[in-house]
Every structure is written in C-alpha cells, then in structure tokens.
Amino acid sequence: MKITVVGTGYVGLVTGTCFAETGIDVTCVDIDKRKVQMLLNGEVPIYEPGLDNFLARNLEKGRITFTTNLAKGIQGSDAVFIAVGTPPDEDGSADLKYVLGVAREIGQHMDDYKVIITKSTVPVGTSFKVKKAVKEELDKRKVDIPFDVASNPEFLKEGSAVDDFLKPDRIVVGIENERAQKTMKRLYKPFLMNGHPLLFMDIFSSEMTKYAANSMLATKISFMNDIANLCELVGANVDLVRKGIGSDARIGNKFIYPGTGYGGSCFPKDVQALIRTADEHGHSLEVLKAVENVNYRQKSKLVEKIKGHFGSDLNGKQFGIWGLSFKPKTDDMREAPSLVIIEQLKAMGAQVRVYDPVAMEEAKHSLGETVVYAKDEYDACIEVDALILVTEWSEFRMPNFRILEKIMNQKLIFDGRNVYDPEEMRELGFQYFSIGREAVNVENANRVPVKKAI
C-alpha cells in the first residue's frame, strides 16, 4: 500500500514516519526545499523524542521519501493525507487556505482513484470544501476520476507523538461510503492487531470530535487554574483538592494540575475555532468563552505575584526563567506562557535571563535579543532577584538549592507548576510562591493558614 502525506510539520512528519514503520510505502510532500533536503538527510527539523530514530530506520529501508513535487508524490497513492497548517484567522476561525490549496493541486494532478483525507484540524464541513475544490479542478481538466474524502483527526501530544500514533487511545475516521471505509480499515490494520479501537462515523462528527476533545481538555485545565486561585483566597491547598477530585473515576487525575495556563499549537487555536464555529451558527459556547478568558488571565498569574512582592517598578531587578516551551519535551513556543511573562516583566523594567533544555533557538525567533540566553539552568540564576519556573522540565525537579543560594541575589522562587515542596522550601529558607498553595516564608501571604499536602 502506498500513501502520500502533504505537509511535514508535527502531524505530517509523525504520521508519515509511523505509517512507514508499519511497512507502508510513504511519500511526504512539502514546499520547503530546505526542510525536504534536511529530512532526506535524516535530520528532523522539530524536537520530538524518538522521531529521529524512526525516520533514520525507515529512510534506510526505503519505506519513506520526501519531495517538493506534489504531482509526482501522489502518483500511485491509494490515499493522500492533507496535514498542512490551519492557523487562526484574525477572527479566531481556522484559516483553510493551505488545506484548500493542497486540495486544488491534488485535483490538478491526480490520475486514478484516491481517498483524500484531512489530517489537519479543521472546522466541521471542511472535508466537503475539500471535495468541492478537487471536483472543480477535475472539471477544469474535463476528466472524470473517482475519489472519496475522509476525515481522520489526530490526537497526538507533543513530546509523546510517536508513541501516541503507534499506540493510540482510539482512531477516529469520518467516511461517506464503504469504499473509503475499506481503504482506511486496510491502512490502519496494523494498529487493530494490537486492539486499538477504530471508530468509523460520519465526516461531520469526526471533525467535531477533534475540537470537542481538545476543548474538553482545555476546560479541565482552566477549571483547575480557577479553583487554584480560589484556594489561595480561602486558605485551601490545591494539591489536596486535586487529589480529592482526581480520585473520582468520573473526573480522573489527568489535566487537573494547576499552572500558568495552556499554550501550544492546538488548545488555544482549537478553542477559538470552535467558539467561532458556534457563533456562526447562532450559538454561544459560554463555557468555552470562560475557559479562554481564564487561560488568558492565568498566564499573568505569576507576574501578579511578582508585582505583589516587588511592586510594579522592576527597574534594576533581574529575573531568571526556567522553561520557555509551552510544555516539556518539545521546543514549541507557540502561545507559550513564558512569552507573556517575559513581555510583562520587560514592560515593568526588569532584566531577564532565560534557559530551556531544547527551545533556546526557537525562543530567539520570538524574543530576539531582549533577554539574556543562559548556557544552563544555573547560569540563568546568576545575580537574579528571583527564579521563575514556567515549564516543568524534569531537570528542574531536583536542583541544587545550595548553588542557587550562593548565586542568587535573593532566595526567592516563583513556581508556576508547583514542582517544589513548600515545606522543603521553608526548611531551606527560600521565599516561595506557587499556584493555589500558601506562600512560604512571606508574612501575610494568605489570610488563612494552609495545611501541608499529604
């Protein structure tokens, strides 16, 4: 079986590489000549654990190749996946120009039956816009070549995308007839052998499933952040509250960790797009609008704590930032809380030193020379007035606090991910602020004493 994947971003590259791992002949197409050459050389342009090894193995076996020529790339393919970007438009809706552009090009060059599959995250109804675009191009050529469209949303998490693809919770496919279903079932047969569920449904429902899933996860995050903020005001401890509700099987313990808000390429964009879709149909998604508002506010939560401690004039103050990517195990800086925090600190006159295990180069595209890029986590803390932990990379979990004590101007930490134990911070003599928990070694930080988490 042969497939073509158009687009070699996170979704397209992981999709193509993992299908090749099952023995399928894969051609990946991208308009970026430099990226294509990198991939042909076995170089992965994104940071995704394990992907480089899978790519090298399948390049060596000849199961995957890369090209900028879509016309050549789709020749002989049974299925073509569209996995290009759908960035948010000015009004929050998904911009479909890249998706529909690829659809038109497929229609200009296809010469036999294919299933054309939207893998990109797209609003409900997009697959039929794809179908119309392909058909219009075929009509211009005055040819009658049969094809079907399908929707196959991805549920990959950056940082574990390869494992998510090879061991999916579920595979969702929207189809409109048995012929397309047969092709998709054959394509995913290697995964069915391991018991992973393949869920066929109509295309509208498939497209909605992706948005609904991400919006539900975003809702859990914003809900927990809002509860954490209330915990501080009433004297509750969010760690205990999280354990109390997470033990309920109906709620579960995932995505209920408080922090500095969600970011990345999916949640912010998908929540906005779903809100916009509802508005277009005369329905207001009030819960999701609140989710978005809470997340926007949460990204400033650490800065509010910093202002409460230092005041709003930070001239002459220097801060160290640990973690720049929106989450660990990725270099993705899109919608990262760190960008908001740094921008607000700079606006108040602060100097900022930053460190991230993998996102330093990516950060330079957004931050330029407005910050000092440290060589490691301790270099980021030299003569700073406070350390701000934004992204919970594993290497930040057990730092040498004795070193921090010697190199920092003040023993002060603002922890945006609740990584450290408040009692340990108290014993070490650090002033310590976190999310939804009592501040440590700070007078009158809370109106009500908060009990230590068990």
Side-chain angles (χ1 to χ4, degrees), residues 76-108:
S77 288
D78 300 285
V80 182
F81 285 86
I82 300 177
V84 294
T86 54
D89 219 332
E90 292 182 1
D91 61 359
S93 60
D95 187 347
L96 298 178
K97 64 182 177 184
Y98 302 113
V99 171
L100 297 181
V102 171
R104 283 189 285 271
E105 196 169 352
I106 292 171
Q108 292 164 9

Side-chain angles (χ1 to χ4, degrees), residues 360-378:
M360 297 289 270
E361 289 302 315
E362 191 64 31
K364 291 178 182 178
H365 298 307
S366 302
L367 299 173
E369 300 304 318
T370 64
V371 300
V372 175
Y373 296 94
K375 62 183 179 181
D376 57 38
E377 62 267 43
Y378 297 109

Side-chain angles (χ1 to χ4, degrees), residues 377-384 402-410:
E377 62 267 43
Y378 297 109
D379 186 37
C381 294
I382 294 176
E383 296 184 349
V384 299
R402 290 184 178 179
I403 293 178
L404 291 178
E405 180 180 354
K406 291 178 180 179
I407 63 177
M408 295 173 65
N409 289 339
Q410 301 183 48

Side-chain angles (χ1 to χ4, degrees), residues 150-219:
S151 168
N152 179 211
E154 52 85 16
F155 299 98
L156 307 177
K157 301 185 294 294
E158 291 185 32
S160 59
V162 172
D163 203 46
D164 288 343
F165 197 100
L166 296 175
K167 302 174 184 178
D169 294 326
R170 76 290 200 198
I171 303 163
V172 174
V173 180
I175 43 89
E176 56 182 350
N177 58 44
E178 290 185 4
R179 186 175 186 182
Q181 180 172 337
K182 184 178 180 180
T183 298
M184 297 303 290
K185 190 170 184 178
R186 182 183 172 207
L187 183 62
Y188 277 108
K189 183 178 178 181
F191 303 91
L192 303 182
M193 293 177 179
N194 293 325
H196 304 302
L198 176 57
L199 307 177
F200 284 107
M201 59 186 69
D202 65 273
I203 290 177
F204 284 168
S205 297
S206 173
E207 292 170 334
M208 178 60 80
T209 296
K210 169 63 176 179
Y211 279 107
N214 277 356
S215 294
M216 174 59 77
L217 296 175
T219 298

Side-chain angles (χ1 to χ4, degrees), residues 220-240:
K220 292 183 72 173
I221 293 171
S222 280
F223 173 81
M224 205 63 212
N225 282 333
D226 230 10
I227 292 297
N229 296 335
L230 181 58
C231 283
E232 291 186 25
L233 297 175
V234 303
N237 186 320
V238 74
D239 287 346
L240 298 176

